[in-house]
Amino acid sequence: MASQPPVQEPTTRRRQFLGRLSLPERTFITDALRTETVGGVLLLLASVVALIWANVWPAAYQSVLDYTIGPSTPLHLDLSLDAWAKDGLLTIFFFVAGIELKREFVAGELRSPSAAVLPVIAAVCGVALPAIVFAVANAGPGGHPNGWAIPTATDIAFALGVLAVVGSHLPSALRAFLLTLAVVDDLIAILIIAIFYSSGIKFWALGLAFAGLVLFWFLHRRGVHGWYLFVPLAFVIWALMHESGVHATVAGVAMGLLLRCHREGDEKSSPGEHIEHLVRPISAGIAVPVFALFAAGVTISGPALREVFTQAAPLGIVLGLLVGKTVGIFGGTRLAARFTRAELNPQLKWADMFAVSVLAGIGFTVSLLISELAFPDDPALADRAKAAVLVGSLLCALIATVLLKLRNRHYRELCEEEDRDLDGDGIPDVYQLDDPAWQARTAGQQGRPDQPQQGTRPADEGPHRPH
C-alpha cells in the first residue's frame, strides 16, 4: 500500500510592512501632508530669518523677545512675546497633535495592534536611544543630564519641508510611516514635558483646568456648536493650565484628545476631522513658523560652533539626533519586523527605511521647546542647546537628502504608478485593476500600470482612515 504524502500545514500569510495604503488612508495622508509640507517650508524660512536677525541685529531681536504684552491678572498673563510663542502658539500645534493621536487610535494605523506594533516600537526606540546617547555624553564632570529629552523629538513639518525643498519623491507608504512615527513621538514628548518639566504645581488651578476640560467634553458630546463658545472656554482652560505649573501645551493636547474623531450616522466627517481641517493650516502656517522665529535665533560664530562639538550637552544633542534617532528607529523597526514576521514591501528596500530613519532625526520644534524648559536658569546653555539642535537637524537633513536622492528615480516611478489615472475618474488606477468596468474604459490605452506585486494590500484591506 503506497504511503500517503505528508499533509502540509497551511502557512500563515506574512503581514506586509510599508505596503500600499488603502485608498481612504492614502487620500487622508495626501491631504494632511500637503498642509504640513507648506508649513515645513515656512518653518525653514522663519528659521533662516531668525538666524539672520539674531546675528545681524542681536539687540533688536532680544528686545522683541522680551517685549511684554497681556493683562496683569491673578493668572499672570502679562508675558513676553517669547513666552506667548512658547506657551501659547505651540498649544495650537499640540492641539492638532492631540486630534491626530485620537484619530490614529480610533481610525488610523494605531487602531490595529498588528499594524501599530512597528511604528510604535520604532518611535519608542527612537526616543530611548537618543536619551541614552545624551546621558552617556553627559555622564562625566561638567555634564548636564537634565537635557536628556532634547534630542528625542521628530519634527514632521521640518522633515517634509526638507523633502519639498530638495524635490524628493517619497512613496506614500514611507510618508505614512513617517507621519505615524511622528504622532507617537509627539505623544511621548507630551508625556515627557508633563512629567519631567512641570514644577511648582498649583492644585487649585489644575483642578479648575480639569473642570474646564470636563465642561469642554460635555458640551462637545451634547452636540453644542459655535466657535464663540469653545474658543473662550479653550483660552480659560489654557490660562488655568499655564498658572497650574503644568506646561500650558498639555491643555491643547487634552482638548484635542477629547474631540470625537469617528463618524456617526450619515456624517461626511467627524467633528475632530472638521476642526482639524480648520486649525491645521493655522498651526502649520502661523503658529509653528512664528515660534521658530522667536526660538531659532541663536548666535552663530566660530567659537559657538566649536562649543557644539566640544561641550558635553550640545555634543550629546547632536549625537542623539544623528546617531541615536537613526539607529533607534531603524534598529527598532528591523528587529520588530523580524520578530513579528512582517515582510517588507518588495518594491522597497531596507536602505529606504534607513534613509527615512535619518530624516526622522530632524528634531526642531519640540526640541527647541525642551531646550528652554531643560535649562531655565542658564540662558547661555539653552542657546548652545538650540544651536546643537540646529546643527544636528541640518546634518540629518543633508545626509537624508543624499540617501533619498540615490533612490529618487525609483521613488518617482512608484509615485507615478500610485497617481496614474487613465480614465480621469479621480481614483488611481492601481485601486481599480480588477474592476471590469475600469478595464473596459481603459482598453487599448497605453501605460497601463503593472499588476500589484504579491502581498500588496488591496484597496479594501487594512485600517481605513476617514477622509
Side-chain angles (χ1 to χ4, degrees):
M1 184 177 189
S3 60
Q4 296 293 329
V7 178
Q8 295 184 351
E9 296 292 333
T11 57
T12 303
R13 182 180 177 182
R14 299 179 68 180
R15 187 178 62 84
Q16 190 176 87
F17 173 51
L18 297 179
R20 180 173 295 143
L21 304 176
S22 65
L23 182 57
E25 187 175 5
R26 182 181 182 275
T27 303
F28 167 77
I29 291 292
T30 301
D31 293 342
L33 295 187
R34 184 181 296 114
T35 302
E36 291 292 347
T37 300
V38 174
V41 174
L42 294 176
L43 178 60
L44 291 173
L45 293 175
S47 303
V48 172
V49 171
L51 288 171
I52 295 174
W53 190 2
N55 285 273
V56 178
W57 302 284
Y61 183 76
Q62 192 60 46
S63 65
V64 171
L65 293 186
D66 295 337
Y67 184 80
T68 300
I69 189 173
S72 179
T73 66
L75 297 180
H76 305 98
L77 296 181
D78 48 338
L79 306 173
S80 66
L81 290 180
D82 183 30
W84 278 111
K86 179 176 62 180
D87 297 342
L89 289 178
L90 276 195
T91 301
I92 301 175
F93 166 79
F94 278 105
F95 174 68
V96 174
I99 300 176
E100 289 177 336
L101 283 169
K102 182 66 173 291
R103 189 187 52 242
E104 285 286 343
F105 283 123
V106 302
E109 288 290 327
L110 301 182
R111 181 185 65 174
S112 167
S114 61
V117 62
L118 265 70
V120 168
I121 291 178
V124 171
C125 293
V127 169
L129 198 57
I132 293 172
V133 170
F134 182 92
V136 171
N138 287 264
H144 300 275
N146 198 42
W148 63 270
I150 296 173
T152 60
T154 293
D155 195 311
I156 181 67
F158 202 119
L160 293 173
V162 170
L163 292 178
V165 170
V166 302
S168 177
H169 297 75
L170 202 63
S172 58
L174 287 173
R175 289 178 180 264
F177 178 83
L178 188 60
L179 178 61
T180 304
L181 177 77
V183 168
V184 180
D185 193 280
D186 285 341
L187 172 60
I188 299 173
I190 292 160
L191 294 175
I192 289 174
I193 291 172
I195 297 172
F196 296 99
Y197 294 104
S198 298
S199 60
I201 305 299
K202 298 179 181 178
F203 289 99
W204 67 267
L206 185 60
L208 289 176
F210 181 76
L213 289 171
V214 172
L215 178 59
F216 183 94
W217 174 84
F218 177 78
L219 293 175
H220 176 64
R221 290 293 174 172
R222 296 289 293 180
V224 177
H225 301 288
W227 65 267
Y228 48 84
L229 177 63
F230 283 97
V231 170
L233 177 59
F235 181 80
V236 171
I237 294 171
W238 171 85
L240 289 167
M241 191 69 74
H242 180 271
E243 179 66 14
S244 72
V246 176
H247 199 269
T249 54
V250 174
V253 177
M255 287 184 281
L257 289 172
L258 291 177
L259 295 179
R260 177 169 62 82
C261 292
H262 62 275
R263 301 178 187 180
E264 294 181 352
D266 58 352
E267 288 181 335
K268 294 184 178 180
S269 63
S270 67
E273 293 175 83
H274 177 67
I275 294 172
E276 183 190 15
H277 179 74
L278 296 176
V279 179
R280 184 185 285 275
I282 299 174
S283 170
I286 299 176
V288 174
V290 171
F291 167 77
L293 181 65
F294 289 145
V298 296
T299 302
I300 301 297
S301 63
L305 290 176
R306 258 194 319 272
E307 290 175 352
V308 168
F309 295 99
T310 57
Q311 295 189 359
L315 179 60
I317 293 170
V318 173
L319 293 177
L321 292 172
L322 185 60
V323 179
K325 271 288 185 183
T326 301
V327 176
I329 294 173
F330 179 76
T333 305
R334 192 68 190 267
L335 288 174
R338 179 177 179 182
F339 287 105
T340 59
R341 297 183 60 79
E343 185 179 59
L344 182 67
N345 182 351
Q347 292 181 315
L348 298 172
K349 297 181 179 180
W350 281 108
D352 301 318
M353 188 66 235
F354 183 81
V356 170
S357 300
V358 178
L359 187 67
I362 297 176
F364 194 78
T365 305
V366 178
S367 293
L368 293 178
L369 172 63
I370 298 178
S371 296
E372 295 192 1
L373 298 179
F375 309 118
D377 301 324
D378 194 341
L381 181 57
D383 282 346
R384 290 197 297 273
K386 291 180 181 180
V389 170
L390 295 176
V391 171
S393 298
L394 179 61
L395 290 174
C396 288
L398 292 175
I399 296 173
T401 297
V402 173
L403 296 175
L404 292 172
K405 279 294 185 181
L406 293 175
R407 295 269 289 165
N408 202 38
R409 181 177 178 181
H410 178 63
Y411 295 154
R412 185 185 295 110
E413 293 173 353
L414 292 180
C415 290
E416 289 174 353
E417 179 184 336
E418 289 179 357
D419 296 334
R420 188 179 291 116
D421 184 12
L422 292 179
D423 57 350
D425 63 351
I427 301 176
D429 296 335
V430 292
Y431 297 100
Q432 300 176 294
L433 295 177
D434 296 326
D435 183 2
W438 175 85
Q439 295 174 5
R441 288 196 304 270
T442 59
Q445 296 189 38
Q446 298 297 320
R448 177 181 174 180
D450 297 333
Q451 294 290 337
Q453 299 192 29
Q454 184 177 1
T456 300
R457 188 170 62 197
D460 59 349
E461 290 185 11
H464 286 242
R465 293 181 190 263
H467 65 286

